Amino acid sequence: MEARELRLQSSELPASVLWMRKYRPDPNAEKQQAANAREFKLEYSAKGGYVVLRVTHVKKSGGRMRTRSGLLLVGTIASLGAAFPRSPGVASAKNPDVARAIPNDNRRPAGTLRDGKLELKLEIVNARWYPEAEDGANTVVPALAEVGRAPEIPGPMIRVPEGTSVHVTIRNTLARAQIFLHGLSTRPVTRDDVVKLAPGETKEFTFLAGAPGSYFYWASDGHQTMNERMLSDAMLSGAIIVDPKSGVIPGERIFLVGVWRTERDAEGYSRANPRELVVVNGRSWPYTERFTFTQGDTVHWRWINTSSAPHPMHLHGFYFDATRHGTWLADTASSPTEITRGNTRTMIPGTTMSMRFVPDRPGNWLMHCHLAIHVDGTATLTNLIEQRSMADMQMQSHANHGMMEMAGLIIGMHVLPKGPQVAASTLEPQRLRLLVQNSPHGIGGRPAIGFVLQNGAEPARDSVMLPGPTLFLEKGRRARITVVNHLAGETAVHWHGMEIESYPDGVPGWSGTPGHLMPAIQPNDSFIAEFTPPRAGTFIYHSHMHELTQTNSGMFGALIVTDAEHRFDPKIDKIILIGAGGAGNVENRAGGTINGSLAPALELEAGTTYKLRIVMIHPQATVVIRLGNDSSTFQWTPVAKDGADLTPAQSTPRASTVFMGAGETGDFLYTPERPGVWRIDVRTRAAGWWLPVQIIVRPSTRRTDLGGS
Ligand SMILES: [Cu+2]
């Protein structure tokens, strides 16, 4: 009876696979957008002459509009670009009275602290923001300022010892916007007491700082929740750090993450390619702060996500421990039973994380967001303001090399060598030849860019595996991987999670040491990545160049490192790799694949314990994964995160559900108890699609003594 049920379900697989594409291209929406392009009004400040990027729709297409500063012809989006020539900074000469915002590196506590009381005078002003070069692209946004000082992005940091009473005076100098202020209250915050400030209004209040931790305050010019705050007011955030009586960690640094969009980009994601400027402490890569450490240093960083987007934060080359985690409202130290070690941790909007790591190998390393759109080199302020099309930008992208093809949420660090270096293994290396190729035969008939392994004769020029072939390496044995580029453009491959030397790490123009930087792999050229994996586990390899195109189109695969305790038995070890849907998905976030399929299925046997190795490498999604049926979630036991084994205290049976962002992996032990058809649901948090993996559990074929001993 059970067998018949299984067959029935199997034959219904294609019909039962629900493939939702909430953001499917809509020709009417396209037309509407084209029409909207002629219906923008740019709102000017009271002083006139500069754009605060508050864009509203007007009835009339094009034509003349009267503003305080005179007449401005607003026609198509093309003329919006004309209003902002290549260097929008030119406009600042006309507005010498708009203060320049300085990027806030969160090292200076704001206000005056005396006798356990902090006196702080803030104002909200319009400021000219330079998120990139000091003389580069800029725009005017509302910003927070300490009275008597330059406006800061992010806003002034409130940093006080536990027990401090904070007296704040805050004035809204904006001529038109009503301001809604959140988070200037005692931690933990149990109720969001919003302070409203009418244009020109000043308010003052006092609160006790409360519990130690990392938090932030934020403001908006409307009733938006944090997830909705993404336009010009998105830079109205400041850190709140409450230090414990036991003192502070010397050298610890604080990073506030912000995301800013133009209104057109934010139209409910109706555009296929919403573009976001993502900043750390007010700046976008490569203009973010650079750090220099010495091999073996212990680094303490606090991350605070003030933005409306999630960020899977990935550290190259090293594991980090999340020592504390929280939100803008409350913060707690991690407990020994929590899974805290990883190389990627996804921060949803409003969350905070304190982390610690030891960079114990020299060279250049990165910590960055793993969403391709948050590190893509085309997401510059100029491109956002000018609304350049992707096609336009790709035409010029050949001129970008290495570091300059990235922008956004990236921190770079140089680690100086200290002491004796680990010598390379002298054992005969394991040799692999990995080709990067195009194929017209990708998912759903779309063209793909991906990997294929050469075994013997060279594979056909148009053969590509989706996902890439699983690479098996041995712990402690040198691997020598020749990556051959058969694409028309440059590429580079990152061995994600590998604790290896910097040079083969895969970031062209950055990985390596001074004078010895890894180059991008040119068309018809190759690169030899040579390294020794020091740890067995589940890892990833993927493109680290033009990821919106390359990783989305199929340049991803699982990298499994084995040793005597971590073998890979195809009967037991089941890889579940969540990837993008192939080219055609270059920019939009809709769609995903699992193990290269739109109808993934897995056949298991009741009573056998499997290791599910889940690899999340869709570069534009965060997903909730759940194993069960319609009515219940099953149980599994996590055993590793990002390739690192968990401690016994962390490795306990629990409900089989997990949240993962791009770049995370997890190993879970699962024993199906009885035959049936179950599923692993993979649902995106925001991108609007979900994809179930059918789990077909057969009756056990083993003769087991069910009666026990
Ligand atoms: Cu991000």
Side-chain angles (χ1 to χ4, degrees):
M1 207 170 153
E2 277 159 342
R4 193 165 68 228
E5 183 188 278
L6 288 179
R7 224 169 23 244
L8 189 69
Q9 293 279 358
S10 274
S11 68
E12 285 178 2
L13 269 183
S16 69
V17 172
L18 298 174
W19 179 246
M20 288 175 48
R21 298 192 58 174
K22 187 173 167 189
Y23 301 102
R24 76 175 72 84
D26 176 351
N28 290 326
E30 294 278 310
K31 272 183 223 150
Q32 190 59 43
Q33 278 167 27
N36 286 348
R38 294 181 168 275
E39 294 178 4
F40 282 123
K41 184 183 86 175
L42 303 182
E43 191 173 304
Y44 280 65
S45 81
K47 302 277 184 193
Y50 65 87
V51 180
V52 295
L53 282 184
R54 192 101 200 106
V55 190
T56 44
H57 296 277
V58 292
K59 290 279 181 325
K60 200 175 165 188
S61 292
R64 283 160 186 260
M65 279 189 291
R66 194 165 289 276
T67 72
R68 283 186 187 207
S69 63
L71 292 171
L72 174 81
L73 188 69
V74 179
T76 61
I77 285 299
S79 73
L80 175 63
F84 283 96
R86 283 295 293 266
S87 176
V90 173
S92 66
K94 297 178 193 161
N95 308 288
D97 48 339
V98 177
R100 180 184 178 119
I102 56 167
N104 181 3
D105 64 7
N106 287 300
R107 285 200 277 188
R108 185 189 67 84
T112 312
L113 183 63
R114 194 171 293 135
D115 303 328
K117 290 194 177 77
L118 181 77
E119 190 63 42
L120 182 62
K121 289 189 167 63
L122 296 174
E123 51 189 13
I124 293 167
V125 300
N126 276 318
R128 188 164 292 279
W129 178 37
Y130 293 76
E132 294 159 359
E134 289 199 3
D135 57 351
N138 58 81
T139 188
V140 173
V141 294
L144 285 148
E146 216 182 325
V147 172
R149 303 184 73 104
E152 292 175 274
I153 293 178
M157 173 178 68
I158 298 174
R159 181 161 200 172
V160 293
E162 193 178 356
T164 303
S165 159
V166 182
H167 179 238
V168 180
T169 307
I170 182 161
R171 187 162 83 95
N172 174 15
T173 75
L174 304 181
R176 300 187 185 176
Q178 173 145 231
I179 289 292
F180 297 79
L181 185 66
H182 305 253
L184 286 173
S185 43
T186 305
R187 287 333 188 259
V189 176
T190 50
R191 200 182 67 180
D192 182 11
D193 288 318
V194 185
V195 177
K196 279 186 214 160
L197 291 162
E201 191 178 9
T202 302
K203 281 194 175 158
E204 64 178 298
F205 47 94
T206 301
F207 64 95
L208 281 170
S214 315
Y215 317 96
F216 65 97
Y217 64 100
W218 58 283
S220 71
D221 59 10
H223 290 285
Q224 301 99 313
T225 64
M226 188 172 301
N227 294 29
E228 297 160 345
R229 186 184 65 143
M230 53 185 69
L231 301 178
S232 66
D233 57 352
M235 292 302 118
L236 291 172
S237 305
I240 299 180
I241 306 293
V242 182
D243 290 315
K245 292 205 172 77
S246 55
V248 302
I249 299 170
E252 185 178 49
R253 295 299 302 275
I254 297 151
F255 303 122
L256 263 71
V257 175
V259 170
W260 182 91
R261 295 183 198 142
T262 66
E263 188 145 322
R264 188 168 135 81
D265 273 316
E267 281 173 348
Y269 279 110
S270 58
R271 292 183 76 210
N273 55 338
R275 216 141 274 281
E276 303 175 331
L277 182 73
V278 193
V279 292
V280 188
N281 286 349
R283 298 192 133 175
S284 168
W285 176 268
Y287 305 99
T288 51
E289 192 174 348
R290 289 288 157 77
F291 293 87
T292 299
F293 301 115
T294 299
Q295 193 176 353
D297 281 355
T298 300
V299 180
H300 294 268
W301 284 349
R302 299 190 197 212
W303 289 92
I304 298 178
N305 183 6
T306 74
S307 78
S308 57
H311 306 290
M313 296 303 301
H314 173 55
L315 177 64
H316 279 231
F318 311 101
Y319 284 91
F320 63 84
D321 291 303
T323 55
R324 298 185 68 88
H325 54 87
T327 68
W328 61 287
L329 304 163
D331 187 18
T332 51
S334 301
S335 82
T337 59
E338 286 174 273
I339 298 169
T340 51
R341 179 161 294 186
N343 55 50
T344 310
R345 192 174 172 101
T346 302
M347 299 185 70
I348 64 170
T351 57
T352 65
M353 164 176 80
S354 300
M355 61 177 274
R356 176 182 60 210
F357 69 101
V358 178
D360 59 4
R361 270 155 287 118
N364 296 336
W365 304 99
L366 298 178
M367 182 151 181
H368 67 86
C369 176
H370 218 290
L371 293 183
I373 202 166
H374 288 172
V375 294
D376 188 74
T378 62
T380 62
L381 183 59
T382 305
N383 285 344
L384 259 78
I385 291 173
E386 295 186 2
Q387 294 287 345
R388 289 204 192 144
S389 75
M390 196 66 186
D392 263 14
M393 293 185 289
Q394 277 173 340
M395 257 161 46
Q396 15 160 307
S397 73
H398 68 272
N400 295 333
H401 293 282
M403 288 163 49
M404 291 304 288
E405 63 84 40
M406 302 187 295
L409 210 181
I410 306 171
I411 291 283
M413 71 195 102
H414 309 290
V415 178
L416 306 174
K418 183 184 180 186
Q421 304 297 315
V422 179
S425 158
T426 53
L427 295 173
E428 175 61 17
Q430 177 185 359
R431 290 168 200 272
L432 297 172
R433 192 171 166 85
L434 191 62
L435 314 180
V436 183
Q437 309 203 123
N438 286 297
S439 169
H441 315 295
I443 309 284
R446 289 188 293 249
I449 303 172
F451 297 100
V452 63
L453 264 180
Q454 180 174 348
N455 298 306
E458 187 162 292
R461 277 299 276 254
D462 65 349
S463 69
V464 158
M465 278 184 74
L466 292 174
T470 300
L471 303 184
F472 292 97
L473 304 179
E474 292 166 43
K475 176 181 158 185
R477 180 175 174 194
R478 198 87 178 147
R480 190 180 158 93
I481 306 173
T482 305
V483 182
V484 182
N485 181 9
H486 282 165
L487 305 180
E490 299 171 325
T491 192
V493 179
H494 172 52
W495 318 98
H496 181 112
M498 293 283 100
E499 301 152 278
I500 56 174
E501 301 93 314
S502 175
Y503 183 73
D505 187 54
V507 186
W510 176 259
S511 295
T513 45
H516 183 56
L517 298 179
M518 185 206 153
I521 314 172
Q522 299 300 319
N524 288 312
D525 203 349
S526 62
F527 176 81
I528 296 171
E530 206 172 320
F531 57 86
T532 306
R535 185 190 301 263
T538 305
F539 303 95
I540 315 172
Y541 68 104
H542 64 87
S543 168
H544 214 290
M545 261 197 108
H546 306 305
E547 282 202 69
L548 270 177
T549 307
Q550 296 189 356
T551 307
N552 261 318
S553 302
M555 277 187 70
F556 50 79
L559 174 54
I560 305 290
V561 182
T562 58
D563 68 5
E565 290 90 57
H566 305 78
R567 297 184 188 281
F568 188 92
D569 178 351
K571 290 200 202 77
I572 298 297
D573 291 80
K574 301 295 179 187
I575 295 171
I576 296 166
L577 187 148
I578 303 156
N585 249 341
V586 167
E587 304 169 84
N588 68 52
R589 310 185 301 159
T593 57
I594 294 177
N595 294 346
S597 172
L598 301 180
L602 205 57
E603 289 197 19
L604 307 179
E605 195 175 293
T608 299
T609 298
Y610 294 90
K611 187 190 266 187
L612 306 179
R613 297 177 182 249
I614 303 179
V615 174
M616 170 53 191
I617 186 60
H618 192 305
Q620 287 180 267
T622 58
V623 292
V624 176
I625 297 160
R626 175 185 165 277
L627 167 60
N629 57 22
D630 284 341
S631 57
S632 62
T633 302
F634 299 162
Q635 292 262 306
W636 63 16
T637 303
V639 291
K641 153 109 175 103
D642 296 343
D645 291 345
L646 303 180
T647 65
Q650 295 163 345
S651 188
T652 51
R654 65 194 64 193
S656 51
T657 182
V658 65
F659 171 59
M660 280 191 186
E664 292 188 73
T665 76
D667 296 357
F668 302 88
L669 299 184
Y670 166 58
T671 311
E673 288 172 10
R674 57 196 169 86
V677 177
W678 323 120
R679 61 174 192 269
I680 299 175
D681 278 322
V682 176
R683 287 172 195 269
T684 54
R685 253 186 114 247
W689 53 267
W690 69 281
L691 188 57
V693 184
Q694 298 286 328
I695 306 289
I696 300 152
V697 180
R698 299 182 181 290
S700 173
T701 54
R702 292 180 308 168
R703 287 183 197 174
T704 50
D705 181 6
L706 295 173
S709 57

